């Protein structure tokens, strides 16, 4: 039995493929090694994996995760996976590689992630060819859920949010400016906290123009600061994975076309296409 997993900063999607070829899907929280230690990941997995999962019978784990971009960060996750799946070969890859393989298979092209965070790359059909650092949630991550959430919270703190939106925001969250600053600057996983408000932007209907403009300017920043810096970027189709890109795909498609890119695939999660990649195009990565 093998496992393929796609881990974002917020959620990890898992697929167990049995010896008979049956696919079993389940979820846990996300494990970004910049924020989660080996010990934390072990504890969380032991608490949240399905109780009937026969971990000692799994022979291979292919885990792609947010933050798994350097050998040091991958080792944090690999040590945790090895401790939980003791009989398995462990392969740890970056979630950006998972996105590229899911979106493009063995074809070259451009791939992006727009979820809690942001990432982009050019892919040669096997590995990532070029990657412009997103800067993560403090320095960059333009277009991400966190970025959209930060813009919303900044408008709230500064009094720029339209009154009708501000009223709905207060009724739903009951957060004062002091509450927000305390959570962002003193509590862990501020990126998840900020990103959670992208759902509010998607759901709030009292001022569509405000919400749409907030999202559009976030995507415009994403293209201006990241996408357009890739050489000959307009010759590629725009392909994207992630809940933010998927939920706001109408706006994203508009901005992509304004920047001279034809839209390819925009999907919420890579897990199905990633499983297909491993079973049909690259059966073993471990």
């Amino acid at each position: 039995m093998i496992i393929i997993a796609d881990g974002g900063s917020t959620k990890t999607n898992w697929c167990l493929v049995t010896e008979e070829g049956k696919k079993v899907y389940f979820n846990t929280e996300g494990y970004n090694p910049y924020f989660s230690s080996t010990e934390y990941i072990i504890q969380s997995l032991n608490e949240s994996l399905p109780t009937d999962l026969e971990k000692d019978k799994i022979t291979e784990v292919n885990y792609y995760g947010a933050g798994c971009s350097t050998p040091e960060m991958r080792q944090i996750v690999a040590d945790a996976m090895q401790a939980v799946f003791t009989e398995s070969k462990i392969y740890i890859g970056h979630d950006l590689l998972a996105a590229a393989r899911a979106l493009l298979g063995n074809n070259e092209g451009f791939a992006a992630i727009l979820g809690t965070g942001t990432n982009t790359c050019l892919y040669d059909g096997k590995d990532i060819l070029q990657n412009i650092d997103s800067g993560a949630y403090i320095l960059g991550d333009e277009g991400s859920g966190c970025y959209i959430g930060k813009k919303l919270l900044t408008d709230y703190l500064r009094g720029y949010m339209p009154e009708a939106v501000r009223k709905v925001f207060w009724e739903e969250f009951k957060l004062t400016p002091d509450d927000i600053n305390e959570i962002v600057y003193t509590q862990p996983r501020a990126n998840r906290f900020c990103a959670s408000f992208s759902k509010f932007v998607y759901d709030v209907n009292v001022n569509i123009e405000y919400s749409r403009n907030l999202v559009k300017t976030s995507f415009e920043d994403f293209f201006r600061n990241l996408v357009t810096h890739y050489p000959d970027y307009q010759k590629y189709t725009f392909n994207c994975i992630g809940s933010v890109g998927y939920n706001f795909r109408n706006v994203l498609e508009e901005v992509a076309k304004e920047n001279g890119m034809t839209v390819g695939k925009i999907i919420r999660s890579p897990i199905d296409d990633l499983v297909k990649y491993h079973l049909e195009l690259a059966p073993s990565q471990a």
Side-chain angles (χ1 to χ4, degrees):
M1 295 193 297
I2 69 170
I3 279 180
I4 298 100
D6 170 65
S9 291
T10 302
K11 183 176 72 172
T12 300
N13 297 311
W14 302 76
C15 179
L16 169 70
V17 182
T18 68
E19 293 175 353
E20 297 78 25
K22 181 182 177 181
K23 299 170 186 174
V24 181
Y25 294 89
F26 51 93
N27 300 318
T28 66
E29 68 173 299
Y31 305 111
N32 189 320
Y34 283 96
F35 311 120
S36 301
S37 65
T38 296
E39 292 73 24
Y40 177 86
I41 297 171
I42 293 171
Q43 178 183 349
S44 176
L45 288 174
N46 285 331
E47 292 174 353
S48 56
L49 288 173
T51 55
D52 60 349
L53 181 64
E54 297 178 288
K55 296 189 286 291
D56 59 338
K57 292 186 178 180
I58 295 167
T59 58
E60 182 179 312
V61 174
N62 298 279
Y63 179 92
Y64 298 84
C68 297
S69 55
T70 68
E72 294 78 14
M73 293 298 104
R74 287 194 288 272
Q75 195 61 51
I76 290 171
V77 180
D79 289 344
M81 296 294 162
Q82 197 67 75
V84 174
F85 302 102
T86 56
E87 303 302 316
S88 298
K89 293 180 181 179
I90 306 294
Y91 170 81
I92 306 296
H94 197 202
D95 64 341
L96 184 58
L97 182 58
R101 288 177 170 176
L103 288 165
L104 298 164
N106 286 338
N107 300 311
E108 66 173 19
F110 174 88
I113 296 172
L114 285 170
T116 300
T118 294
N119 220 329
T120 55
C121 73
L122 294 182
Y123 174 70
D124 65 5
K126 182 179 179 182
D127 294 306
I128 292 171
L129 187 64
Q130 182 179 355
N131 166 242
I132 298 173
D133 198 312
S134 72
Y137 78 98
I138 292 178
L139 300 179
D141 267 357
E142 293 91 336
S144 69
C146 184
Y147 193 80
I148 292 169
K150 285 194 298 182
K151 288 173 72 71
L152 179 83
L153 293 174
T154 299
D155 282 357
Y156 179 70
L157 293 174
R158 293 174 176 170
Y160 299 162
M161 186 182 286
E163 185 56 36
V165 180
R166 187 180 183 88
K167 181 179 179 181
V168 175
F169 182 93
W170 171 255
E171 289 174 350
E172 183 163 344
F173 300 110
K174 296 292 192 297
L175 289 169
T176 67
D178 286 343
D179 292 333
I180 292 169
N181 282 316
E182 194 273 333
I183 293 170
V184 169
Y185 292 107
T186 69
Q187 296 188 19
R189 296 178 176 82
N191 61 326
R192 291 189 193 176
F193 172 74
C194 293
S196 68
F197 293 98
S198 65
K199 185 178 185 302
F200 174 81
V201 175
Y202 180 76
D203 289 340
V204 68
N205 294 314
V206 294
N207 191 322
I208 299 298
E209 182 180 359
Y210 168 75
S211 301
R212 194 179 193 283
N213 185 62
L214 192 153
V215 172
K216 186 174 183 183
T217 56
S218 297
F219 288 157
E220 288 171 342
D221 291 346
F222 167 66
F223 272 83
R224 181 174 57 252
N225 296 335
L226 291 167
V227 180
T228 59
H229 289 269
Y230 286 96
D232 301 319
Y233 73 93
Q234 291 176 324
K235 78 175 186 180
Y236 303 106
T237 58
F238 178 83
N239 303 284
C240 176
I241 273 175
S243 59
V244 172
Y246 183 81
N247 288 337
F248 296 111
R249 60 192 178 279
N250 291 340
V251 182
L252 182 58
E253 290 173 358
E254 178 184 328
V255 177
K257 291 174 183 176
E258 288 174 356
N259 283 274
M261 292 188 81
T262 301
V263 176
K265 292 173 68 175
I266 298 178
I267 58 178
R268 182 186 296 275
S269 168
I271 191 64
D272 288 326
D273 292 288
L274 193 58
V275 170
K276 181 179 179 181
Y277 176 88
H278 274 275
L279 296 181
E280 298 179 10
L281 302 177
S284 178
Q285 291 295 323

